[in-house]
Amino acid sequence: MKKAITKWLAGMTVLFALNGALPVAAQDAPQGAPAAAASASAPAGAPAVAPAAAAVPAVAAAAAPAAPTANKGDTAWMFIATVLVIMMTIPGLALFYGGLVRAKNMLSVLLQVFMIFAVIIVLWCLYGYSLAFTEGSPFIGGTGRAFLSGIWDPAKGAFAAAATFSKGVVIPEFVFVAFQGTFAAITCALIVGAFAERAKFTAVLLFVVLWFSFSYLPVAHMVWFWTGPDAITDAAALATETAKAGWLWQKGALDFAGGTVVHINAAVAGLVGAIMIGKRIGYGRESMAPHSMTMTMIGASMLWVGWFGFNAGSALEAGDVAALAFINTLLATAAATVSWVFAEWMTKGKPSMLGGASGAVAGLVAVTPACGFVGPMGALVIGMLAGMICLWGVNGLKRMIGADDSLDVFGVHGVGGILGALLTGVFAAPQLGGQGVWDYTTNAMGTGYSIASQVWIQAQAVGTTIVWSALVSVVAYKLVDLVVGLRVPEEEEREGLDITSHGESAYHS
């Protein structure tokens, strides 16, 4: 009898151990990758989680599946990625921009970046997140998460989770809120480099609030919003879930980490501002050289380091696709730095630190939409091209446009973003080493990838972003000009914004 009881207890112990271990194994299995929009597909190379569950005994299979829980490794990685993006903005972008302006305007740029970050984070939590990442129309979300309501359920004593790009894999929704909030903040901060040294501080803040609300949020929703992969079980479910997604997502636009949403969107707003506010006093006649290339180099280095959180964090999981985005970000940035510096060396006779820093940012920008979709050699080509083409963007194209884009926001972020978005459609192709698309209905790599078709879809996303951001920007600048005026008086601009707008100086003799 004792032997029978012992065998029975041993059998139950094994059964419970299997039931406890299998969900953990499924959670830590190689994870899927970002979806390719309208087909609700993701890059290939991500084995489905389902086979691990096949080993569950028949008795356990009969039970209702438990709701997925967040893996602590994924959650920890997303905390780190979020902090890295914060570092990109404050102090990274602030120092990069601050070093590029004249000494008398150093603090004004630092404060603009710092305050924009703070203001946008507040607005993001009040209404921005809800309008960008909840179900509504194809062009804007709803108000279900306004004031971050609904994420904590006191009745159930539980927090909501956000879907990732793998079936059955989630992260805490508050982590997703914070991560995406940093994207919104740095996008708005990028704009100020285009009209640095001459805009009113009040005008900058008012414009950013309007542009964030009416340009950033709709574009983010159109490009990035979907309901997640878990409900996609067959073609009918795919059609149902796709219909809930953002307009450009439905079309199949690929933007891993913000080529359209962040860089093109901000660059167009900056260029419109540079044109409407006008050129700096003395532009083209007086020296307006950067006052501290040391600060700019430090800022560029922080941007490069922080960008790993920006790009690899956009995988939303600590898995293979995050690793792919990581190596692509490293390689493309290095390639762009090399190509910019050597191209400048050949055309101007000397390599410059400013060229190296600018080349690095150009590579980071160009690989952003592509980093989770293309192979490393595709990222290498994107980086090499970005360095050379963005060098033309800040020289030849800038002269053609004739605008005083103070810190070359459009030449780097606009040109680099457009280049990267279009080349994503090329190098995501499996035949060129890319990830292709992952079909969630079959949990297998999709077939029939067409470079021409995908590039056309990418072009539509680029065009939509340019037109929408330009329209919103023109209206917003006009409104702000009518209410408070866009530009400081001439005497204040000549003296410098640090003293005249903020009553302090960056440096004291």
Side-chain angles (χ1 to χ4, degrees):
M1 182 67 178
K2 288 182 179 180
K3 289 182 178 180
I5 293 173
T6 301
K7 289 180 180 180
W8 183 81
L9 289 173
M12 291 297 293
T13 301
V14 171
L15 182 61
F16 280 118
L18 284 172
N19 280 319
L22 284 169
V24 174
Q27 226 175 35
D28 293 337
Q31 297 165 351
S39 62
S41 305
V49 178
V56 179
V59 175
T69 57
N71 176 281
K72 290 184 178 180
D74 292 333
T75 303
W77 162 236
M78 292 309 299
F79 279 132
I80 293 170
T82 303
V83 170
L84 286 171
V85 182
I86 294 172
M87 187 191 74
M88 285 175 64
T89 316
I90 47 172
L93 181 66
L95 290 176
F96 181 76
Y97 276 178
L100 290 173
V101 299
R102 290 167 288 181
K104 62 184 180 181
N105 296 312
M106 170 70 164
L107 289 183
S108 71
V109 172
L110 296 184
L111 183 59
Q112 285 175 21
V113 172
F114 203 83
M115 275 297 293
I116 286 171
F117 185 89
V119 168
I120 296 304
I121 291 297
V122 171
L123 298 182
W124 183 254
C125 293
L126 293 179
Y127 64 87
Y129 171 71
S130 186
L131 293 177
F133 285 103
T134 64
E135 189 176 339
S137 77
F139 305 100
I140 196 68
T143 58
R145 285 289 193 260
F147 306 103
L148 302 186
S149 62
I151 298 178
W152 161 249
D153 187 342
K156 296 180 180 179
F159 292 95
T164 65
F165 300 103
S166 299
K167 289 185 176 181
V169 179
V170 297
I171 58 174
E173 189 170 355
F174 275 134
V175 177
F176 183 72
V177 172
F179 181 67
Q180 288 295 340
T182 61
F183 275 59
I186 194 171
T187 303
C188 295
L190 285 171
I191 299 171
V192 304
F195 47 73
E197 301 194 293
R198 57 201 188 273
K200 288 183 179 179
F201 184 67
T202 306
V204 171
L205 294 183
L206 286 176
F207 169 78
V208 163
V209 170
L210 291 171
W211 186 87
F212 163 76
S213 302
F214 296 102
S215 185
Y216 182 84
L217 296 180
V219 174
H221 182 82
M222 286 190 284
V223 174
W224 280 338
F225 176 72
W226 71 316
T227 56
D230 289 346
I232 301 172
T233 55
D234 53 31
L238 170 61
T240 299
E241 296 307 309
T242 301
K244 300 174 184 177
W247 185 60
L248 291 171
W249 180 282
Q250 292 181 29
K251 285 182 172 293
L254 299 178
D255 188 350
F256 192 85
T260 52
V261 179
V262 176
H263 298 292
I264 299 173
N265 207 5
V268 170
L271 180 60
V272 172
I275 294 170
M276 294 184 66
I277 294 174
K279 299 176 182 179
R280 287 168 289 180
I281 295 172
Y283 179 74
R285 302 186 307 275
E286 302 173 7
S287 174
M288 296 184 178
H291 89 280
S292 177
M293 281 309 306
T294 302
M295 291 287 188
T296 295
M297 190 275 174
I298 293 170
S301 302
M302 289 180 169
L303 284 168
W304 192 343
V305 173
W307 222 291
F308 291 109
F310 195 82
N311 282 358
S314 292
L316 303 182
E317 308 169 38
D320 291 341
V321 178
L324 176 67
F326 197 102
I327 190 64
N328 284 344
T329 301
L330 180 65
L331 181 57
T333 309
T337 302
V338 171
S339 68
W340 184 304
V341 170
F342 274 93
E344 181 183 57
W345 199 347
M346 288 186 291
T347 57
K348 297 185 177 180
K350 293 181 180 180
S352 70
M353 180 63 245
L354 178 58
S358 301
V361 175
L364 290 165
V365 169
V367 80
T368 289
C371 59
F373 298 118
V374 306
M377 294 305 101
L380 176 67
V381 175
I382 290 172
M384 294 292 288
L385 290 174
M388 293 181 286
I389 293 174
C390 289
L391 174 60
W392 167 78
V394 304
N395 291 306
L397 180 62
K398 186 175 182 177
R399 285 195 297 269
M400 290 168 58
I401 295 173
D404 179 14
D405 181 352
S406 305
L407 309 183
D408 295 313
V409 174
F410 189 81
V412 174
H413 295 272
V415 173
I418 292 169
L419 176 71
L422 295 176
L423 291 182
T424 298
V426 176
F427 291 105
Q431 60 267 37
L432 296 178
Q435 297 298 292
V437 293
W438 187 260
D439 188 346
Y440 285 108
T441 61
T442 60
N443 286 321
M445 180 179 176
T447 58
Y449 186 95
S450 168
I451 293 176
S453 296
Q454 190 61 52
V455 170
W456 170 237
I457 293 170
Q458 298 299 103
Q460 293 178 65
V462 168
T464 300
T465 305
I466 291 172
V467 171
W468 185 249
S469 181
L471 288 173
V472 171
S473 297
V474 168
V475 173
Y477 283 122
K478 283 289 186 183
L479 288 174
V480 172
D481 196 25
L482 289 172
V483 175
V484 298
L486 287 171
R487 187 164 183 159
V488 298
E490 180 177 343
E491 60 273 14
E492 292 185 13
E493 184 178 338
R494 289 190 180 280
E495 186 176 353
L497 303 188
D498 288 2
I499 290 293
T500 59
S501 296
H502 308 293
E504 52 188 353
S505 297
Y507 308 101
H508 299 279
S509 56

